[in-house]
Amino acid sequence: MKKKNIYLLTSLLILTSCNTTGIQEENKKEDQKEVEMNTNDTTAGREEKAEESVVAIPEEVFGTYYGESSTGGQLKLTLNGEEGNVEIHLEHSSSLVSQWNMQVSYEKENEQLIYQNGQYNQREYTSETEYEEKSSYENGEGYFEIGKSQLIWHDEKAEMEDIVFVKEEMVGLSNPWQSFTDIEEAIRFSKVEFDPPIEEALPKGFQLNQYLAMEGVIEADYSDENQFLFVRKSNTSEGKELSGDYTVYSKTWQMNNKGLAITCEGDGEKANLMYFSSGDMHYAIGINLSNEGAGLTKEEIS
């Protein structure tokens, strides 16, 4: 349109030999109006696209969820402005707790809640009220796949299997773990036969604290003045998932002990986490989780 006007004006100037000053001013005004109109159209288009990209999280997705596997844990999804806020609480043992927090947005096409700012903190309790807090990583990335009354969590940064969280109204017990002082009661509750380690097999100074049990999993917790150790057995979960420990250790290696292939994680010399299987039964042993260098040596494991 602009190019055509220039040709037309030039022809008129040649034919009439008139002064071009007034015509140039009018042309400038017309060009300015056209630029302003185009700018307004572009801005309006961007605002419209931005509004389309902000999709509200379905109301029925908000609420409290609980871990379906032996990992357990609690997830809370609440509204925070135009996004959602997710808080995850996983209790690995009586003294070690992991927490995640992230802002999520809704991706309608894939039915996912996605995030890029996940923060992971771990608390190691030295008493009922005192603990040491450690930040394991920030800016975690991942997503929650939205299912029927459940969220399936996949985190790109944590080396763990996906965790299924079931909505509160679909869960019979908010916390599947129960604490026991009597081993027989713990066995009956978990439906898993369990022979805890004899005292001589434990590191020096460790004493029994309690037994924990849920259906399919049983655990014995031990500690001395500064350290914590657990032994967990299951007929439903295995490997790192059974341990409930999501620390990313610097080394992972294999060792063989009396015919058992044991996976170890730690600093390469001392293992903080060990897991293995024997027949249909699966085991996980953890000591001073996340504190590399404070694990068990090969000789102590044997």
Side-chain angles (χ1 to χ4, degrees):
M1 183 71 182
K2 182 179 175 184
K3 189 173 182 180
K4 185 176 181 182
N5 285 340
I6 293 173
Y7 285 147
L8 180 60
L9 291 171
T10 305
S11 299
L12 288 172
L13 288 171
I14 295 172
L15 290 172
T16 61
S17 302
C18 65
N19 193 310
T20 63
T21 304
I23 297 173
Q24 289 174 346
E25 290 298 326
E26 289 297 323
N27 193 38
K28 287 181 181 178
K29 289 179 182 179
E30 289 298 322
D31 288 347
Q32 185 176 0
K33 286 181 181 179
E34 186 175 348
V35 170
E36 288 177 355
M37 289 178 63
N38 290 337
T39 302
N40 290 336
D41 290 343
T42 303
T43 303
R46 286 175 180 171
E47 290 176 353
E48 186 176 338
K49 286 182 180 180
E51 289 177 1
E52 290 177 356
S53 65
V54 178
V55 182
I57 298 173
E59 186 176 346
E60 65 273 12
V61 179
F62 292 102
T64 301
Y65 296 74
Y66 294 96
E68 191 176 55
S69 68
S70 61
T71 304
Q74 182 187 76
L75 181 154
K76 286 186 178 181
L77 172 59
T78 55
L79 182 63
N80 183 12
E82 294 180 340
E83 295 187 319
N85 183 70
V86 173
E87 294 181 359
I88 299 174
H89 178 99
L90 296 183
E91 188 172 317
H92 310 295
S93 63
S94 59
S95 66
L96 191 66
V97 175
S98 287
Q99 294 177 313
W100 283 261
N101 187 284
M102 60 278 285
Q103 299 294 312
V104 296
S105 57
Y106 179 45
E107 191 178 84
K108 188 175 181 180
E109 183 178 355
N110 296 317
E111 285 294 304
Q112 293 177 348
L113 301 174
I114 59 175
Y115 62 91
Q116 296 179 328
N117 59 349
Q119 294 187 338
Y120 169 44
N121 294 279
Q122 201 169 66
R123 289 181 176 179
E124 188 170 2
Y125 285 83
T126 55
S127 68
E128 291 186 2
T129 58
E130 297 180 350
Y131 60 86
E132 179 183 355
E133 188 162 311
K134 306 173 181 178
S135 179
S136 295
Y137 61 75
E138 296 180 350
N139 300 320
E141 298 183 2
Y143 61 86
F144 298 89
E145 182 179 338
I146 302 173
K148 187 176 181 180
S149 298
Q150 68 178 21
L151 293 173
I152 304 173
W153 180 30
H154 176 82
D155 189 274
E156 301 287 352
K157 210 160 189 178
E159 292 184 353
M160 62 182 182
E161 297 182 9
D162 293 356
I163 298 178
V164 179
F165 288 93
V166 181
K167 206 164 188 184
E168 185 174 27
E169 55 264 30
M170 306 296 292
V171 181
L173 290 172
S174 60
N175 182 6
W177 288 102
Q178 296 291 317
S179 177
F180 299 91
T181 56
D182 181 36
I183 181 65
E184 295 301 328
E185 290 182 7
I187 290 173
R188 282 193 294 271
F189 187 83
S190 66
K191 299 180 177 63
V192 177
E193 291 296 327
F194 185 53
D195 292 318
I198 59 174
E199 186 176 344
E200 290 77 10
L202 297 170
K204 187 177 180 180
F206 277 75
Q207 300 291 326
L208 176 68
N209 292 331
Q210 64 175 345
Y211 297 105
L212 292 175
M214 62 181 288
E215 186 171 352
V217 186
I218 191 169
E219 174 183 315
D221 290 344
Y222 305 87
S223 67
D224 63 6
E225 292 182 359
N226 303 306
Q227 303 180 94
F228 174 81
L229 179 146
F230 71 83
V231 179
R232 191 175 287 185
K233 181 180 179 181
S234 175
N235 56 17
T236 58
S237 299
E238 60 183 294
K240 198 172 180 74
E241 179 188 1
L242 172 59
S243 75
D245 178 21
Y246 303 108
T247 305
V248 180
Y249 293 100
S250 58
K251 299 289 184 180
T252 299
W253 68 98
Q254 303 285 328
M255 65 171 288
N256 190 288
N257 183 30
K258 300 175 182 177
L260 292 174
I262 302 173
T263 300
C264 302
E265 297 189 23
D267 66 357
E269 296 293 330
K270 294 184 177 182
N272 296 92
L273 180 65
M274 298 137 277
Y275 43 89
F276 59 92
S277 296
S278 179
D280 296 331
M281 290 297 175
H282 314 288
Y283 301 81
I285 302 170
I287 181 169
N288 303 323
L289 297 181
S290 79
N291 187 9
E292 289 194 7
L296 298 176
T297 64
K298 182 178 180 179
E299 291 71 24
E300 289 173 322
I301 297 171
S302 302

